[in-house]
Amino acid sequence: RFYPEPEQQYSTPTLGKPLEEGLASLFEINRYLKDLADKHPGKVTLSDIGKTPQGRDIPVLYFGTPNEKKKIRVWIQAGLHGNEPAGPEATCMLVDYLLNTPEGTELLRKVSLALVPIANTDGYAMQSRKSGSGYDLNRDQSKLATPEAIVLRNFYNQYAPQVVIDFHEFQPLRADYTLISTD
């Protein structure tokens, strides 16, 4: 009653497997994105923007090219905190939508998109908020003390987006939320 089945079936790596198997692994997400990119070679390109200190690739999907005139350049990144799986799952859902629906195709006529589904691949592999070298990459966006932050910043500067979206999730039971309301 409170959580009815959705009217539409959604596709993500986690939703594509039995519930008891838990969240999708880094390998499963990368395989899911590679399969989508392989099925749509004219619409999307899967590449890597660099490696982490532990040797993992940082994937990026390009929809369109940054030089296309009259298109808005959009940058979306998720998974900056490796223990926040909602962002990578949401980006997988978005990729599926963009590639497999008429609305997604229409949107891609107006937008050039660079999507980094898991910015902190070491942290995601460990299910840790911090990177493999022990840093909170969200706090390192201006200090640039980590190789991952430098790779992300260089790629960001090169792509020169006009719109930026950074997916995070939050814990709704945090104590500081009681300052706002006790309901």
Side-chain angles (χ1 to χ4, degrees):
R1 162 180 125 192
F2 293 107
Y3 303 102
E5 289 296 317
E7 294 176 14
Q8 177 180 339
Q9 290 299 315
Y10 295 99
S11 175
T12 72
T14 295
L15 295 175
K17 63 186 203 170
L19 183 63
E20 59 273 4
E21 291 183 20
L23 296 170
S25 68
L26 179 62
F27 173 80
E28 290 168 323
I29 288 176
N30 285 332
R31 184 182 62 208
Y32 176 88
L33 294 170
K34 182 177 181 335
D35 289 347
L36 280 174
D38 287 348
K39 289 178 189 171
H40 302 276
K43 286 186 172 182
V44 65
T45 303
L46 177 62
S47 185
D48 297 309
I49 60 171
K51 291 200 178 292
T52 67
Q54 293 184 359
R56 292 184 178 88
D57 293 325
I58 302 172
V60 61
L61 291 108
Y62 294 103
F63 297 82
T65 62
N67 300 345
E68 290 178 292
K69 302 293 183 215
K70 299 183 183 177
K71 280 193 173 184
I72 299 169
R73 283 184 316 282
V74 178
W75 161 286
I76 297 176
Q77 75 179 18
L80 204 55
H81 293 134
N83 64 346
E84 295 179 0
E89 286 287 318
T91 59
C92 288
M93 189 182 295
L94 175 62
V95 170
D96 181 64
Y97 173 82
L98 291 171
L99 295 175
N100 293 311
T101 68
E103 298 86 0
T105 299
E106 181 60 30
L107 186 60
L108 290 176
R109 288 189 182 122
K110 301 172 185 162
V111 171
S112 178
L113 172 64
L115 190 146
V116 180
I118 305 175
N120 181 3
T121 52
D122 288 346
Y124 193 89
M126 300 180 302
Q127 283 301 293
S128 168
R129 177 179 180 87
K130 295 183 178 179
S131 69
S133 50
Y135 286 89
D136 183 334
L137 296 182
N138 194 50
R139 304 295 184 260
D140 192 35
Q141 296 298 297
S142 57
K143 188 176 176 185
L144 302 176
T146 64
E148 300 96 327
I150 293 168
V151 163
L152 288 165
R153 175 62 61 88
N154 288 340
F155 177 67
Y156 172 90
N157 288 341
Q158 176 188 0
Y159 190 72
Q162 296 160 306
V163 176
V164 176
I165 300 169
D166 184 6
F167 281 103
H168 285 270
E169 62 183 272
F170 69 95
Q171 171 56 268
L173 303 175
R174 288 178 31 180
D176 51 334
Y177 289 127
T178 60
L179 299 173
I180 299 170
S181 173
T182 57
D183 293 338

